Amino acid sequence: MAKLLSCVLGPRLYKIYRERDSERAPSSVPGTPTSVTNPPSSSWDTYYQPRALEKHADSILALASVFWSISYYSSPFAFFYLYRKGYLSLSKVVPFSHYAGTLLLLLAGVACLRGIGRWTNPQYRQFITILEATHRNRSAENKRQLANYNFDFRSWPVDFHWEEPSSRKESRGGPSRWGVALLRPEPLHRGTADTFLNRVKKLPCQITSYLVAHTLGRRMLYPGSVYLLQKALMPVLLQGQARLVEECNGRRAKLQACDGNEIDTMFVDRRGRAEPQGQKLVICCEGNAGFYEVGCVSTPLEAGYSVLGWNHPGFAGSTGVPFPQNEANAMDVVVQFAIHRLGFQPQDIIIYAWSIGGFTATWAAMSYPDLSAVILDASFDDLVPLALKVMPDSWRGLVTRTVRQHLNLNNAEQLCRYQGPVLLIRRTKDEIITTTVPEDIMSNRGNDLLLKLLQHRYPRVMAEEGLQAVRQWLEASSQLEEASIYSRWEVEEDWCLSVLHSYQAEHGPEFPWSVGEDMSPEGRRQLALFLAQKHLHNFEATHCTPLPAQNFQMPWHL
């Protein structure tokens, strides 16, 4: 009877992976009473095949879940319509509540029938036995057996907690349950007295901004967090996850961040191979509709690196909602997991981000200054110009206020606080982070990210002459045009390197540098172009084109 109840309340099982020869172990662990036998790998290399009763009951419950999601998103319009028609009176609501209660009882009956279907299936009974054993005793053997199954991630046991590192328990300056530290935007009206009357006047605008950010704004910014989109992508995500586990020996793990959100991660270990790049770990930060199952992790994987992918809060197996604070909290526990559980030193960790993932990447670079390098692909400097691009001009004040207060993705500000090597990859046909049209390459916000970084690190070089030369170079949309501008100013790379080496030897590596202070305009132009070419590479593609492995290069450093 207890097993039947477990089948009724248990998670949905999607796939049973084939067990690789390198991971096979004895069928049980001596001395461990909660160990269970391994699933036979020869006949179970397929998607889990439910019995007819479970299959039909699952279809009904899945359809009910979709209808509930549609009702949730359309509820404001439905309530308004019902109110106008007079259907919200007590005499109409009471019968409706009876219908709703009856429907819930029917769905509960369907869930019980699904449990009976699972109970009659030996594959599911084997799975639920392993899952219960793992929750009771999280031994390495039980976790290894559980990893052979792909199921609803909500039931996966937590593998790593944000407080697990001993340094976190002893440190007072680390993250709290409220979250990690973020850079706060400056007030819109500086010098204004923050009196009670002014707060009351601002209250309607603040309420409006909050409502916009938590309804339309967040879903527009992170469409991957919308349940209906995830439901449509589920077969693709399952297929991508199977490829990572079965072909790349990926290991899935659940991390708990300081805000309580559970983060879905996938780790592929290449340290045992002959290639030296396998000793380096690349942490991948996905875009606003990207998942590690089908995202940018494929690029460093093909290049031979060890890779750690993770999903934004609210994406696939990760819980929560993807607001900046939650994003930073998730990134923090991912980096801690890489250092304290996977055993990588910060000097061996590279942060690679695509598109909106640049926010968490630059936050990690700012917060963990010993990280090896940062690679930002198709990213931007600030969210406000891109948000204004897609909204009406009459909403300019509301959009700016909403972004600054609730969705402040200040990538450039965070990146400028990092002292290590940085590489920016600009898509020359990018249709997402340009503020006009894809053909107008100067409206690509990746340009602004480069300029702000160089102006912070080399303010004397990026004076008027240097800034003008870099802007001309950024107008080039092909390698031929780049080379033409580069040769026009007769850039001598050996001379530029000698100047930078001499300054570093005398003043140290800490940015910003005052190099170029006593330099001629021609010298500043040469040095500015040299630095721009070292920090930004062009890739002739649109925003969503996967980056080839040969374009995944380590950033330049002295």
Side-chain angles (χ1 to χ4, degrees):
M1 191 65 185
K3 186 65 65 177
L4 176 59
L5 183 62
S6 298
C7 291
V8 172
L9 302 178
R12 184 175 181 181
L13 178 59
Y14 299 115
K15 183 177 174 64
I16 304 172
Y17 298 122
R18 64 172 179 265
E19 192 171 5
R20 296 171 292 278
D21 293 336
S22 61
E23 292 189 351
R24 289 182 182 173
S27 60
S28 63
V29 179
T32 305
T34 54
S35 297
V36 295
T37 56
N38 292 333
S41 59
S42 58
S43 60
W44 287 14
D45 177 20
T46 180
Y47 283 97
Y48 166 67
Q49 298 297 327
R51 300 285 175 89
L53 184 59
E54 179 187 356
K55 182 178 180 180
H56 294 311
D58 251 336
S59 300
I60 295 173
L61 293 175
L63 187 62
S65 176
V66 170
F67 278 130
W68 169 255
S69 181
I70 294 174
S71 301
Y72 173 78
Y73 290 120
S74 61
S75 57
F77 305 102
F79 275 112
F80 180 73
Y81 174 80
L82 293 174
Y83 175 77
R84 292 292 300 272
K85 293 294 183 179
Y87 292 136
L88 294 183
S89 61
L90 187 62
S91 59
K92 300 288 181 62
V93 170
V94 171
F96 176 78
S97 64
H98 292 163
Y99 297 143
T102 304
L103 181 60
L104 289 176
L105 287 175
L106 289 174
L107 291 177
V110 172
C112 292
L113 291 176
R114 181 181 64 177
I116 295 173
R118 291 171 172 176
W119 185 64
T120 61
N121 191 326
Q123 290 184 342
Y124 193 89
R125 289 206 311 272
Q126 175 106 13
F127 155 69
I128 203 69
T129 301
I130 294 174
L131 179 61
E132 290 176 340
T134 306
H135 278 289
R136 288 194 302 268
N137 181 1
R138 299 183 184 181
S139 66
E141 174 62 17
N142 286 341
K143 286 186 177 181
R144 186 192 64 79
Q145 293 181 37
L146 188 64
N148 290 324
Y149 297 90
N150 188 353
F151 55 97
D152 190 338
F153 201 60
R154 287 173 293 186
S155 298
W156 189 286
V158 173
D159 297 289
F160 184 85
H161 193 274
W162 69 282
E163 283 185 321
E164 186 169 319
S166 57
S167 59
R168 286 295 178 91
K169 298 175 183 178
E170 299 170 359
S171 173
R172 294 183 179 179
S176 65
R177 296 190 181 276
W178 295 101
V180 297
L182 291 179
L183 297 180
R184 299 299 175 185
E186 295 183 0
L188 295 178
H189 305 288
R190 305 176 75 181
T192 304
D194 191 20
T195 62
F196 177 75
L197 184 59
N198 283 332
R199 291 183 182 182
V200 171
K201 289 180 179 178
K202 294 176 183 177
L203 190 59
C205 295
Q206 291 175 347
I207 293 174
T208 304
S209 295
Y210 179 89
L211 293 175
V212 170
H214 286 75
T215 54
L216 180 67
R218 189 258 295 176
R219 292 171 176 83
M220 287 183 63
L221 187 59
Y222 288 95
S225 65
V226 176
Y227 172 77
L228 294 177
L229 178 61
Q230 295 184 33
K231 195 75 175 174
L233 292 175
M234 181 62 73
V236 179
L237 299 181
L238 292 176
Q239 185 178 4
Q241 202 167 90
R243 180 184 67 85
L244 290 171
V245 171
E246 296 181 342
E247 299 178 14
C248 303
N249 297 333
R251 301 205 306 262
R252 200 177 185 188
K254 177 186 282 188
L255 319 181
Q256 187 170 40
C258 59
D259 53 13
N261 288 336
E262 296 171 345
I263 307 303
D264 184 5
T265 68
M266 180 69 73
F267 171 56
V268 178
D269 195 351
R270 298 281 178 80
R271 284 175 288 189
R273 299 194 177 187
E275 295 85 355
Q277 59 266 37
Q279 304 301 316
K280 298 283 187 178
L281 175 69
V282 178
I283 299 179
C284 298
C285 304
E286 300 291 345
N288 64 352
F291 304 80
Y292 72 70
E293 292 89 340
V294 291
C296 64
V297 298
S298 60
T299 298
L301 275 178
E302 292 177 15
Y305 291 88
S306 296
V307 173
L308 177 58
W310 62 282
N311 281 330
H312 297 282
F315 282 52
S318 296
T319 63
V321 288
F323 282 103
Q325 184 66 67
N326 298 346
E327 288 277 290
N329 295 340
M331 188 66 193
D332 178 67
V333 75
V334 168
V335 176
Q336 288 291 320
F337 175 69
I339 296 172
H340 295 282
R341 179 61 62 84
L342 302 182
F344 287 91
Q345 296 299 316
Q347 297 81 3
D348 295 325
I349 297 177
I350 300 142
I351 307 295
Y352 169 50
W354 174 63
S355 189
I356 209 170
F359 172 74
T360 49
T362 54
W363 180 89
M366 173 186 69
S367 304
Y368 293 88
D370 293 332
L371 293 177
S372 175
V374 174
I375 303 174
L376 302 179
D377 179 15
S379 197
F380 51 88
D381 63 320
D382 187 32
L383 182 62
V384 170
L386 298 174
L388 293 173
K389 161 193 169 183
V390 298
M391 302 303 289
D393 289 339
S394 57
W395 291 23
R396 176 175 292 270
L398 175 63
V399 171
T400 303
R401 186 184 307 107
T402 301
V403 170
R404 286 287 177 250
Q405 292 180 358
H406 303 284
L407 303 167
N408 190 35
L409 306 186
N410 49 345
N411 299 351
E413 187 180 5
Q414 294 183 153
L415 185 62
C416 288
R417 301 200 175 203
Y418 175 60
Q419 297 286 324
V422 175
L423 174 63
L424 309 180
I425 300 174
R426 181 180 67 166
R427 309 293 184 103
T428 58
K429 300 176 183 178
D430 201 310
E431 72 282 14
I432 301 298
I433 64 168
T434 49
T435 53
T436 55
V437 293
E439 293 75 20
D440 183 11
I441 197 169
M442 282 306 293
S443 71
N444 188 310
R445 297 304 300 189
N447 300 334
D448 301 86
L449 183 57
L450 173 70
L451 292 174
K452 290 177 181 178
L453 177 65
L454 294 182
Q455 286 175 323
H456 169 75
R457 292 189 169 189
Y458 312 97
R460 307 301 185 194
V461 174
M462 294 299 292
E464 184 177 351
E465 300 87 358
L467 181 62
Q468 183 180 5
V470 173
R471 287 189 181 278
Q472 291 178 4
W473 179 78
L474 288 171
E475 291 178 1
S477 57
S478 66
Q479 292 184 351
L480 186 62
E481 292 180 18
E482 281 184 48
S484 174
I485 296 172
Y486 209 65
S487 61
R488 185 197 310 170
W489 296 110
E490 300 178 347
V491 178
E492 299 180 15
E493 295 195 357
D494 292 338
W495 175 81
C496 294
L497 282 172
S498 67
V499 169
L500 295 173
H501 278 299
S502 299
Y503 183 90
Q504 187 184 51
E506 184 177 352
H507 298 89
E510 187 95 13
F511 294 112
W513 287 8
S514 60
V515 62
E517 191 171 14
D518 300 324
M519 196 176 289
S520 66
E522 291 76 12
R524 282 198 289 269
R525 289 192 190 98
Q526 284 193 50
L527 201 53
L529 286 173
F530 173 80
L531 291 168
Q533 189 189 53
K534 294 298 184 182
H535 284 81
L536 184 141
H537 293 175
N538 279 328
F539 176 45
E540 295 187 20
T542 57
H543 187 77
C544 295
T545 303
L547 185 71
Q550 61 266 26
N551 290 76
F552 186 79
Q553 303 171 7
M554 289 299 103
W556 168 84
H557 63 92
L558 282 175

